[in-house]
Amino acid sequence: MPGNFACAAAPQIQRISLGSERRPLLVIDGLSAEPESLVEFAASAPPFRARGGDYYPGVRKPLPQAYAENLCETLDRVLREVFELPPGARAQPLLCALSIATTPPQQLRPIQRLPHFDTSDPNQLAVVHYLCPPQLGGTAFYRHRASGFEFIDSERLHGYAAQLKHQVMASPPAPGYLDGDSALFEQIACIEARFNRALIYRGNQLHSGNIDPHCGLSAAPRTGRLTATSFIRYSVPGTP
């Protein structure tokens, strides 16, 4: 089976502070030791498929757990330092998959037209590893105008969810992928895609794929917006 899931020994790492709440974002260039091998794995059998209950606007294919394990091992020190992870916490990959954006703009569900967060848990990290060229779109981060929130934790969750539901019911978002500022959200950062670049951020950060449908929504791994996506939760053994 094709695929080398090792990380480069010394990728280039840049730390950015997002928005007014100054939450950390890591931009890592040259993450994979052999990124072309990941593309070959993506193009091999089995095929990509849509996943029921998944809000991702496209199709996915599982990656071996070794991909996320290698990532955590290579970046362990910097992840613990930058994201202030609990002492003794261990990494648990919750998702490790290749993803390709394929959904036409007019078929997006309302929730897919808005910035989202993956979890309210501050110790769960999201990794987006681009295996595509810049024109297919990077990732943008947002502030909710009414609340000023740029991330959603357990204390903010209930009030934010109720407020956003009321806003969306009163004025549903127009069909299409989010592109910059909107009536409800202000874009605070936009990081472009670059082949073999990865972004790592807390999963409770408000974000959205910066997808340009005019550049194509091909389902072919070698021409589509191919990314490797991981959700990694850090928890201390014996705690919920």
Side-chain angles (χ1 to χ4, degrees):
M1 178 184 294
N4 179 346
F5 307 108
C7 292
Q12 297 179 352
I13 302 175
Q14 177 186 8
R15 174 177 175 167
I16 295 173
S17 294
L18 293 169
S20 59
E21 297 196 297
R22 312 301 292 170
R23 307 291 279 186
L25 165 70
L26 291 179
V27 181
I28 303 176
D29 286 302
L31 175 64
S32 174
E34 294 185 16
E36 295 83 2
S37 182
L38 291 174
V39 178
E40 290 178 11
F41 177 85
S44 67
F48 284 69
R49 300 185 185 280
R51 294 166 47 136
D54 191 342
Y55 292 120
Y56 179 75
V59 292
R60 295 199 198 264
K61 173 180 174 175
L63 266 173
Q65 197 89 329
Y67 171 87
E69 291 172 352
N70 289 338
L71 187 152
C72 292
E73 181 178 355
T74 301
L75 301 175
D76 181 74
R77 182 188 61 78
V78 70
L79 294 180
R80 293 179 186 277
E81 177 183 327
V82 169
F83 296 103
E84 300 177 343
L85 298 169
R90 296 180 182 175
Q92 177 188 6
L94 304 179
L95 171 72
C96 188
L98 291 161
S99 308
I100 306 177
T102 59
T103 304
Q106 64 273 17
Q107 294 181 16
L108 293 173
R109 290 173 283 179
I111 195 171
Q112 294 173 313
R113 307 172 199 164
L114 299 168
H116 67 280
F117 62 101
D118 305 315
T119 176
S120 61
D121 183 351
N123 296 321
Q124 182 174 314
L125 306 181
V127 184
V128 180
H129 182 188
Y130 304 108
L131 299 167
C132 60
Q135 64 268 24
L136 293 180
T139 300
F141 298 87
Y142 289 87
R143 175 186 302 117
H144 181 233
R145 293 184 186 273
S147 65
F149 294 162
E150 298 170 358
F151 70 91
I152 308 300
D153 60 12
S154 58
E155 294 182 358
R156 296 178 172 186
L157 178 59
H158 179 72
Y160 172 77
Q163 185 177 35
L164 184 62
K165 180 179 179 179
H166 175 77
Q167 291 178 312
V168 170
M169 290 181 67
S171 181
Y177 286 97
L178 190 62
D179 182 17
D181 294 346
S182 70
L184 301 182
F185 293 90
E186 177 185 0
Q187 188 180 102
I188 59 173
C190 184
I191 311 299
E192 73 171 7
R194 184 178 296 171
F195 187 72
N196 204 22
R197 164 179 283 180
L199 305 185
I200 305 181
Y201 49 92
R202 287 191 177 98
N204 64 7
Q205 197 81 33
L206 289 169
H207 64 280
S208 178
N210 193 34
I211 298 167
D212 183 355
H214 298 100
C215 291
L217 294 167
S218 170
R222 290 191 172 92
T223 56
R225 186 181 182 271
L226 176 65
T227 61
T229 305
S230 305
F231 296 157
I232 302 169
R233 182 173 184 262
Y234 282 81
S235 59
V236 178
T239 61

